[in-house]
Amino acid sequence: MREYPGTQRVDAAKHGDQQALDELIAAYLPLVYNIVGRALDGHADVDDVVQETMLRVVHGIAGLRDPAAFRSWVVAIAVRETRDRRRLRRTAGDGGMDELLGIADPGADFVDLTILRLGLSGQRRETAEASRWLEAADRDLLALWWLETAGQITRSDLAGAMEQSTEHVAVRVQRMKAQLETARAVVRALWAAPRCPRLDEAIRDWDGNASSLWRKRLARHVRECPACSAHLEGLVPAERLLAGIALVPLTGVLTGIAAHPALLAALWSSADPHAEPAAAARVARHTATRRTPRSTWARNGRLLTAKSVVVPVALTAVVGGAAVALTGRSAPASPVAVVRAQQATNRPVLPPSASAGSPSTSTAESRPPKASASASPSSTAPTTASPTTATPTAAVYGQTVDTPDSAPPKNLKPGALPHRPETKAINVIAGKWNKPFTGAIGGSWLMFYRGDSETLSGTGYFSVRWEVAYFNRVGRLVMPTWTGLRGKLFHVASGGYYRMTDERPNATDQPHTWMGQPSTGYDTLPSGAQQMWEVEFFHLDGTVTLHLNENYADYNLGVSPETWQSVTTDIDTPPDPATYDDPSNPRIRYGIVRDTGNDAAPVPQYLTRSDPSDPTGVPQHSHV
């Protein structure tokens, strides 16, 4: 059993010792994050629910009767907050039908984090993947049982959180484990190579998302099929697989709170209508995270909201109706935080600037607007469906990071592509890659397997061509990452004649796109990732390493040196009309220009100047 701060520290915090309270918050944040993350399957609400849970702890610890019951109390609060958030989502109409059907959120990523951060493989990885297929109630129980098996909590903690006797909990755990074992067999059957033809037929209408509904359908096939039923054999008991396993590390803003836990106490005081005026000053002193939770606290019959806003040089935190300016350099936000901030403010949100090292007096409302990702300085014609805004007067490299965008109207020609220097052709100087061969995806340097990489060097243009191999395996893509940047890298254009979500010409089994088809299912992107085109174009002045990070979902990349003229020709030329299924009504797809010609041009998502040992862990919006 993991050691947590003892009852003496709990008692000290109960009686007002701020240092003791800070120790408790820092110690229990990872535990709460793992409970909520696994129960909500990585939904975008995870950070909010974790913060709300810890706020409840901060507010309620003074009334805790038995310090020895602190861990059970914290776990019970986490479970209640998780259930309350689900009910709130259903009431608000947010994913209500998905909840009723037991469908996991399409942007969920906690299973991916578990696999990648803990390096799970074999049957441990199968178990993590299988958890996606459980009903919400079973995911709640699994979140606790997983931690009990890993030695993080006790059975009495689990029973207390579920508000049931240990005997009743034991029965529920057995039922949940049976569902988990069934889901593991389903995962095995889907991963089999070659896959059972009858199973292929059974998943013809499957959308590729794990759900309890489809687990029941596919489990019936697995049990009755002589070939697939073999996957029920040789399963190591899940408790043996999970024994002693570590907690998934904190991500995003929660890491900042763990480092500065007193911020939570300050936030609670600011949200409390009866708190003293000095609370705002305490919030201002704790500026390490530069982000306040987009949470709703219900107290005294009132709803108090704090909306998340991420800006490059300053933050205006709205807590309980009072605005508090937090200045100084902002910390990287998690991908989910950035996407949700965009939704909350209904406008693009700039990632933190890499050069914002000094305090600023500007507020969220006075920050420079984002540059258009598609308008060229030499052209007035819009080239994408994205909103056009003014270019910042003082562009800072890396302040504009690629964000999700809509496909431009078909038949719309792009504007002019700014001409950047081409003094040294791009070349591969290191890495693990393949040479072109007959029948392979096009490109000068090919990457097919997880762990492949290419270190590119030079001053000029290059392309990355995508092949999403949904015909091999479908699932959620683990996006390529860029590491070790020296110099500057820009995402300048997109082309190749189609966006990967476009329908394939001459296909009769619609919707048949470049991401999948009805008979195989569809590959999906992580929450907030930009939908790729067949060919993405970049300009490099320096060196950078591109990593292929495929997990279960299979994809291949082909990289080639380009020139300004070859990029321009690609995006200005539509595909051959002979390839259309209806030549009388061709769906012409020109490319788009993303380059602004200056440092306001977007840099790719998942880009960093560091050289992490795990390239899959590069944040979606990195400091460059």
Side-chain angles (χ1 to χ4, degrees), residues 374-379 381 383 414-418 564 571 593 595:
S374 58
S376 162
S378 61
S379 173
T383 59
L417 177 69
W564 174 86
I571 63 178
V593 171
D595 196 356

Side-chain angles (χ1 to χ4, degrees), residues 240-256:
R240 284 174 52 189
L241 297 173
L242 304 180
I245 202 167
L247 294 175
V248 177
L250 298 174
T251 60
V253 69
L254 298 178
T255 305

Side-chain angles (χ1 to χ4, degrees), residues 133 186 189-190 195-208 214 218 221 474 517-521:
W133 297 79
V186 168
L190 290 172
R195 194 157 58 199
C196 167
R198 290 178 55 201
L199 181 59
D200 277 338
E201 181 66 26
I203 63 175
R204 180 176 296 276
D205 298 326
W206 182 41
D207 63 359
W214 273 97
L218 300 182
H221 167 84
V474 295
Q517 64 187 113
S519 63
T520 62

Side-chain angles (χ1 to χ4, degrees), residues 66-131:
D66 182 9
F70 181 78
R71 185 174 60 236
S72 299
W73 177 63
V74 172
V75 171
I77 293 174
V79 172
R80 283 197 299 271
E81 290 295 327
T82 300
R83 292 172 177 169
D84 288 347
R85 181 53 61 97
R86 281 208 197 96
R87 282 194 291 268
L88 181 63
R89 287 173 56 201
R90 284 197 293 267
T91 302
D94 176 12
M97 185 58 67
D98 283 357
E99 290 289 346
L100 292 175
L101 296 178
I103 299 174
D105 183 87
D109 59 4
F110 199 82
V111 169
D112 291 338
L113 281 174
T114 302
I115 293 169
L116 296 175
R117 295 289 186 270
L118 303 184
L120 302 187
S121 60
Q123 293 199 29
R124 283 191 175 92
R125 176 178 172 181
E126 290 174 357
T127 303
E129 292 283 358
S131 66

Side-chain angles (χ1 to χ4, degrees), residues 117-457:
R117 295 289 186 270
L118 303 184
L120 302 187
S121 60
Q123 293 199 29
R124 283 191 175 92
R125 176 178 172 181
E126 290 174 357
T127 303
E129 292 283 358
S131 66
R132 300 184 192 274
W133 297 79
L134 300 181
E135 291 92 344
D138 279 340
R139 287 203 303 271
D140 289 348
L141 183 57
L142 174 65
L144 299 175
W145 179 74
W146 184 306
L147 294 173
E148 179 199 5
T149 304
Q152 302 291 337
I153 64 174
T154 66
R155 176 53 63 93
S156 61
D157 294 333
L158 192 160
M162 301 303 291
E163 299 179 337
Q164 294 172 347
S165 66
T166 54
E167 294 77 13
H168 191 183
V169 164
V171 173
R172 287 197 56 190
V173 165
Q174 289 303 316
R175 292 174 180 169
M176 181 273 297
K177 285 170 58 180
Q179 301 291 1
L180 184 64
E181 299 300 288
T182 300
R184 289 172 66 188
V186 168
V187 169
R188 279 188 165 192
L190 290 172
W191 285 7
R195 194 157 58 199
C196 167
R198 290 178 55 201
L199 181 59
D200 277 338
E201 181 66 26
I203 63 175
R204 180 176 296 276
D205 298 326
W206 182 41
D207 63 359
N209 290 315
S211 71
S212 59
L213 178 65
W214 273 97
R215 185 200 73 231
K216 295 172 184 176
R217 292 181 180 178
L218 300 182
R220 186 181 305 114
H221 167 84
V222 170
R223 287 192 300 267
E224 297 173 355
C225 174
C228 293
S229 60
H231 297 301
L232 292 165
E233 302 174 1
L235 292 175
V236 177
E239 49 266 53
R240 284 174 52 189
L241 297 173
L242 304 180
I245 202 167
L247 294 175
V248 177
L250 298 174
T251 60
V253 69
L254 298 178
T255 305
I257 290 180
H260 298 270
L263 175 61
L264 277 167
L267 284 174
W268 177 268
S269 299
S270 298
D272 189 341
H274 304 295
E276 69 276 11
R282 290 205 304 275
V283 174
R285 286 198 298 270
H286 294 281
T287 61
T289 63
R290 305 293 179 249
R291 177 186 184 269
T292 57
R294 182 182 180 271
S295 305
T296 302
W297 302 289
R299 302 200 62 234
N300 301 326
R302 299 176 59 192
L303 291 178
L304 307 172
T305 302
K307 291 186 177 180
S308 167
V309 179
V310 182
V311 293
V313 293
L315 172 69
T316 297
V318 182
V319 188
V324 182
L326 305 179
T327 61
R329 178 166 179 162
S330 54
S334 67
V336 163
V338 174
V339 173
R340 297 191 67 215
Q342 291 171 339
Q343 295 169 342
T345 59
N346 197 30
R347 63 177 181 268
V349 177
L350 294 178
S353 168
S355 62
S358 58
S360 169
T361 57
S362 63
T363 66
E365 295 304 321
S366 63
R367 70 185 187 277
K370 177 182 176 180
S372 169
S374 58
S376 162
S378 61
S379 173
T380 58
T383 59
T384 75
S386 304
T388 302
T389 53
T391 301
T393 55
V396 176
Y397 177 69
Q399 73 179 21
T400 306
V401 182
D402 283 337
T403 55
D405 58 356
S406 302
K410 291 185 172 69
N411 305 313
L412 180 64
K413 292 185 177 181
L417 177 69
H419 196 163
R420 292 182 179 270
E422 299 178 85
T423 58
K424 184 180 180 182
I426 302 300
N427 193 23
V428 172
I429 59 175
K432 179 185 175 185
W433 46 275
N434 295 272
K435 295 180 180 180
F437 56 90
T438 302
I441 179 178
S444 302
W445 310 293
L446 312 181
M447 294 192 289
F448 294 99
Y449 307 104
R450 177 182 176 87
D452 284 359
S453 67
E454 296 172 3
T455 299
L456 307 169
S457 179

